[in-house]
């Protein structure tokens, strides 16, 4: 009995290839930051702006931010103490320097956690990644703010920040 | 067959009662909210004669000088037409504020109060009065 080796080999190759593509798609490409999954955090941190992934800043930053919510980039975003505690716990346990996060390691390279930066858009790596975006694009009426990730990264709400 | 025929009207009645009960509980939070604002407005001004959706409409579009420079009016973030989406300064879309366009709105009194507290401070530089809240809410519920 002769097996049709060629078709079988081609078929296996096709399956291997699609598995690879699927895996990448599932991981959201190479710039993947898990989106906020906690409903309270999503509601409280995602009404005015995208609920930024906690893995984009070190724990020290989140601690500082939650400590000064009455002046949150000029807004009073204070919440009741129980909610604040819940949010802080979530942010700290999912922070970028909480270990084993390859993308965060890259994003936070060159950033000292002791400085506790508050703006993701001021991280050295963020600035480098966005250096080619011209000024007029930031001022575009559909963008308006560097915090508006979704204007350019269509998959941002799913954690996908590929180009 | 007999017991079944007997049972069905009972079941129908039960279902109808349940349906009625669920619609009343769903409508209740908004009515309670308005009743609370009405009571407070009456205390503040004994001449208070009910809320006005037309006044709420005007309030929604009015510009104020007491709040933050970049948000002088409700319409700085919410759309002028309450049935369409608005947008925050950070670029995030806000669901329409008209009840007809966002049927889930105003069902949680704590959430309504939370946003009045934040937004009145940003727009007017003070807390809104019960009359202002009731007028605005009446307008949005009518839309």
């Amino acid at each position: 009995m002769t097996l049709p080796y060629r078709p079988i080999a081609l078929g296996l190759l096709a399956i291997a290839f699609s598995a690879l593509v699927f895996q990448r798609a599932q991981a959201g490409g190479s710039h993947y930051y898990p989106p906020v999954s906690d409903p309270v955090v999503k509601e409280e941190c995602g009404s005015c702006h995208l609920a930024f992934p906690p893995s984009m800043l070190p724990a020290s930053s989140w601690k500082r931010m939650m400590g000064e919510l009455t002046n949150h980039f000029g807004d009073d975003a204070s919440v009741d103490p129980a909610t604040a505690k819940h949010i802080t716990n979530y942010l700290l346990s999912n922070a970028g320097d909480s270990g084993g996060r390859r993308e965060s390691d890259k994003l936070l390279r060159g950033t000292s956690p002791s400085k506790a930066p508050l703006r993701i858009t001021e991280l050295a790596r963020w600035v480098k990644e966005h250096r080619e975006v011209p000024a007029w694009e930031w001022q575009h009426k559909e963008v308006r703010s560097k915090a508006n990730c979704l204007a350019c990264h269509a998959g941002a709400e799913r954690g996908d920040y590929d180009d | 067959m007999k017991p079944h025929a007997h049972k069905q009207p009972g079941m129908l009645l039960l279902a109808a009662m349940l349906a009625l009960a669920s619609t009343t509980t769903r409508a209740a939070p908004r009515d309670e909210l308005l009743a609370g604002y009405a009571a407070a407005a009456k205390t503040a001004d004994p001449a208070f004669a009910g809320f006005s959706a037309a006044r709420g409409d005007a309030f929604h579009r009015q510009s104020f000088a007491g709040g933050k420079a970049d948000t002088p009016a409700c319409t700085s973030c919410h759309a002028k037409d309450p049935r369409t989406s608005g947008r925050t300064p950070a670029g995030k879309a806000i669901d329409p504020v008209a009840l007809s366009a966002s049927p889930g709105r105003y069902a949680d009194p704590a959430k309504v109060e939370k946003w009045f507290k934040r937004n009145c401070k940003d727009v007017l530089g003070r807390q809104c009065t019960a009359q202002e809240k009731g007028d605005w809410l009446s307008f949005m519920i009518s839309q």
Side-chain angles (χ1 to χ4, degrees), chain A residues 44 46 48 75-76 142, chain B residues 68 87-88 92 111 114 121:
Chain A
E44 297 295 339
C48 302
D75 276 335
D76 181 354
E142 294 298 319
Chain B
K68 292 169 70 179
R87 200 200 296 235
T88 71
K92 180 144 181 139
K111 192 172 170 182
K114 170 189 153 182
K121 191 177 166 195

Side-chain angles (χ1 to χ4, degrees), chain A:
Chain A
M1 183 174 124
T2 50
L3 280 170
Y5 284 113
R6 228 165 130 87
I8 289 176
L10 278 173
L12 284 176
L13 201 69
I15 289 169
F17 181 71
S18 49
L20 199 74
V21 168
F22 181 69
Q23 200 191 8
R24 273 189 66 96
Q26 253 196 333
S30 54
H31 292 81
Y32 178 72
Y33 299 87
V36 169
S37 57
D38 182 286
V40 175
V41 178
K42 221 186 216 167
E43 166 81 19
E44 297 295 339
C45 308
S47 297
C48 302
H49 52 68
L50 175 82
F52 301 113
S55 60
M56 285 189 175
L57 285 175
S60 59
S61 297
W62 294 122
K63 217 179 269 177
R64 182 178 163 202
M65 200 162 325
M66 291 304 292
E68 37 191 72
L69 277 187
T70 49
N71 181 12
H72 185 63
F73 305 97
D75 276 335
D76 181 354
S78 48
V79 293
D80 65 81
T83 308
K85 196 172 166 206
H86 179 96
I87 295 171
T88 306
N89 285 344
Y90 180 84
L91 295 175
L92 295 189
S93 50
N94 292 285
D97 55 351
S98 59
R101 300 176 192 277
R102 214 165 42 87
E103 271 311 305
S104 299
D105 290 346
K106 259 195 263 173
L107 180 64
L108 298 177
R109 199 169 292 158
T111 295
S112 161
S114 65
K115 286 218 172 88
L118 293 178
R119 288 179 195 271
I120 294 163
T121 55
E122 283 172 6
L123 300 175
R125 179 73 187 202
W126 189 98
V127 173
K128 189 175 167 229
E129 290 275 349
H130 295 83
R131 69 190 181 281
E132 282 167 16
V133 180
W136 67 264
E137 263 185 70
W138 292 120
Q139 281 146 21
H140 191 280
K141 70 176 175 59
E142 294 298 319
V143 183
R144 302 210 289 188
S145 159
K146 283 185 182 173
N148 188 7
C149 311
L150 200 57
C152 303
H153 301 284
E157 279 173 330
R158 295 188 306 274
D160 178 5
Y161 292 83
D162 269 341
D163 307 326

Side-chain angles (χ1 to χ4, degrees), chain B residues 90-104:
Chain B
K92 180 144 181 139
I94 310 173
D95 289 340
V97 274
L99 187 61
S100 66
S102 304

Side-chain angles (χ1 to χ4, degrees), chain B residues 53-108:
Chain B
R55 259 195 327 253
D57 184 7
F59 183 78
H60 184 63
R61 296 151 186 275
Q62 192 180 336
S63 271
F64 298 89
K68 292 169 70 179
D70 56 343
T71 56
C74 304
T75 52
S76 303
C77 298
H78 300 293
K80 282 203 172 65
D81 174 0
R83 292 179 202 181
T84 59
S85 295
R87 200 200 296 235
T88 71
K92 180 144 181 139
I94 310 173
D95 289 340
V97 274
L99 187 61
S100 66
S102 304
R105 276 201 185 269
Y106 316 122
D108 177 0

